[in-house]
Amino acid sequence: MSTFRLAVEIDGDGAHPAAWRRANHAPNQLLTPRRVRDTARIAENAGFALVTLDDDLLPPGAAPNIAGRIGSVERAGFVAAATTVLGVAPVVSTTYAEPFHVSSQLATIDHISNGRAGWLVSTTPAPEAARAWGRPVVTGDADQTREARDSVQVARDLWDSWEDDAVIRDVATSRYLDRDRLHYIDFTGETFAVKGPAIVPRPPQGQLVVLAPAALLPADQVDVALITAPTLETLRATAATTEAPRTFVDLEVALDTPTTTAAARVADLNQHAPWPNTNRLRYLGPPAGLIDLITDLADIVDGVRLHPLVLDEDITVLSRIVLPALFRARTAQRPLPGSSLRGTLDLPRPTNRFASSDRAASTRSSR
């Protein structure tokens, strides 16, 4: 099994819809650059390997949810420039979005971060999203899955459409590119076609780390499968049948703080709105119990993505108590400076599928 890694979702104020009521900032500060930067740096300094940034094609629902958010891709680019070790994976839906533009945006984040970008693939079943985009509604799980599969395939092909050494910068001949090392992908799916090549050079990682809910995509399109399971028994069964190279489990957490218990915090927020049942593992209690739970999870999966009840309150306990204990016990490890996200997750850098075997071997030997 690979080195166990820790990830955290940092969208909004927390996993609870009323989390903003216990946040440590004024409501008008949520969407400011300082808030985004500071939260990411806290996660990086704590030792998280990865942050994810949730998003949707539609604004959140009625109160008490927040009224809007900055796009995940835009926030991810900002976080990438403001950190040095932390992996960054925005949630980007494959439903209705143009895969050519998505692949370019994500490749750009990988360049900004020097190889620390990922893509958390999602779908959007709500028909209102189709109306917002002026597109026919994609109905049914099968069509949603097909769109996701085709979009990820196109993105992966476009990332390979520039060979690693396509940019030659030959001053003597005034040639910036070797055009023989740019390739058309010629993809034709059921609902769209893309010729390529990309407009952005191949990402530093070759291929970004693709994360997706388990069973959404074929195993050869996914690097990290995210497992949603309400119990450890269900998690074990799902993890045993998941064929992706890495598996992470989603875990919602509400921790005791120095001033109040997790149960009291949840009860306080539930007065305003219920904490929805998302079918994820959920832990409420003292930090020691969470440390024990994550230690058990390390024998089942390759990582955990935490969803704190209230980001400002729980991430403080996580960074001061939980993560240091896990690092001391060597249950998990911090990412190493200079590592790509692929390196942090013990994933190899893929060879470009268009490169000749001779050039690919030369590229590998030079690293």
Side-chain angles (χ1 to χ4, degrees):
M1 182 173 286
S2 64
T3 303
F4 192 79
R5 299 295 185 182
L6 303 168
V8 61
E9 169 59 54
I10 63 170
D11 180 65
D13 280 316
H16 197 286
W20 62 272
R21 294 177 177 273
R22 298 185 64 94
N24 293 337
H25 62 84
N28 64 355
Q29 296 299 304
L30 176 61
L31 303 183
T32 61
R34 175 177 291 183
R35 166 70 181 177
V36 175
R37 180 200 63 200
D38 290 352
T39 302
R41 286 180 175 174
I42 290 170
E44 179 173 59
N45 292 336
F48 282 101
L50 173 69
V51 294
T52 59
L53 297 155
D54 201 4
D55 206 350
D56 202 332
L57 298 184
L58 294 169
N65 288 350
I66 60 173
R69 52 159 61 100
I70 300 173
S72 63
V73 170
E74 291 79 6
R75 282 179 291 155
F78 185 77
V79 168
T83 55
T84 59
V85 180
L86 188 67
V88 185
V91 172
V92 181
S93 175
T94 55
T95 312
Y96 310 119
E98 295 288 348
F100 185 91
H101 299 311
V102 169
S103 71
S104 298
Q105 290 171 324
L106 294 170
T108 299
I109 297 172
D110 205 46
H111 282 284
I112 292 170
S113 65
N114 291 319
R116 293 180 284 118
W119 175 16
L120 206 170
V121 178
S122 72
T123 59
T124 307
E128 294 84 359
R131 290 195 292 270
W133 282 65
R135 294 275 302 276
V137 177
V138 178
T139 58
D141 291 343
D143 288 341
Q144 292 276 333
T145 300
R146 184 205 67 232
E147 288 273 299
R149 177 200 65 209
D150 288 353
S151 295
V152 172
Q153 186 60 56
V154 165
R156 286 191 174 278
D157 288 349
L158 286 168
W159 292 335
D160 274 352
S161 66
W162 290 53
E163 296 184 36
D164 287 318
D165 51 359
V167 179
I168 57 176
R169 298 185 179 91
D170 190 336
V171 176
T173 61
S174 298
R175 294 171 65 217
Y176 181 77
L177 294 174
D178 181 346
R179 296 185 64 84
D180 291 336
R181 298 180 187 184
L182 268 63
H183 304 275
Y184 295 108
I185 68 168
D186 293 323
F187 178 90
T188 301
E190 293 185 41
T191 57
F192 60 82
V194 177
K195 191 171 184 65
I199 58 174
V200 179
R202 194 175 194 227
Q205 295 183 97
Q207 296 273 321
L208 275 70
V209 174
V210 175
L211 306 93
L216 175 63
L217 298 171
D220 62 354
Q221 287 189 338
V222 181
D223 298 299
V224 180
L226 292 174
I227 298 176
T228 298
T231 66
L232 285 177
E233 291 72 21
T234 305
L235 171 62
R236 287 192 181 92
T238 304
T241 60
T242 301
E243 298 179 355
R246 301 288 178 265
T247 54
F248 274 46
V249 62
D250 279 315
L251 173 60
E252 296 177 338
V253 296
L255 296 171
D256 293 351
T257 69
T259 59
T260 188
T261 65
R265 294 170 58 223
V266 172
D268 175 51
L269 294 177
N270 281 347
Q271 296 179 78
H272 307 284
W275 192 2
N277 180 10
T278 58
N279 211 35
R280 296 172 179 148
L281 280 177
R282 183 175 288 182
Y283 174 82
L284 280 70
L290 179 60
I291 294 167
D292 291 341
L293 174 58
I294 293 177
T295 301
D296 292 338
L297 294 175
D299 292 329
I300 305 173
V301 291
D302 303 294
V304 61
R305 182 171 67 133
L306 301 178
H307 298 259
L309 177 80
V310 179
L311 198 54
D312 287 342
E313 293 180 322
D314 290 290
I315 202 167
T316 300
V317 182
L318 290 168
S319 61
R320 293 179 180 176
I321 301 175
V322 177
L323 268 66
L326 294 170
F327 296 148
R328 286 195 300 271
R330 299 193 176 183
T331 302
Q333 292 186 19
R334 290 175 172 271
L336 296 175
S339 295
S340 67
L341 182 55
R342 283 191 164 274
T344 294
L345 299 179
D346 299 323
L347 293 166
R349 186 181 190 276
T351 299
N352 190 311
R353 72 181 181 89
F354 290 107
S356 69
S357 58
D358 291 341
R359 281 209 301 268
S362 176
T363 300
R364 286 195 299 271
S365 66
S366 67
R367 288 190 168 86

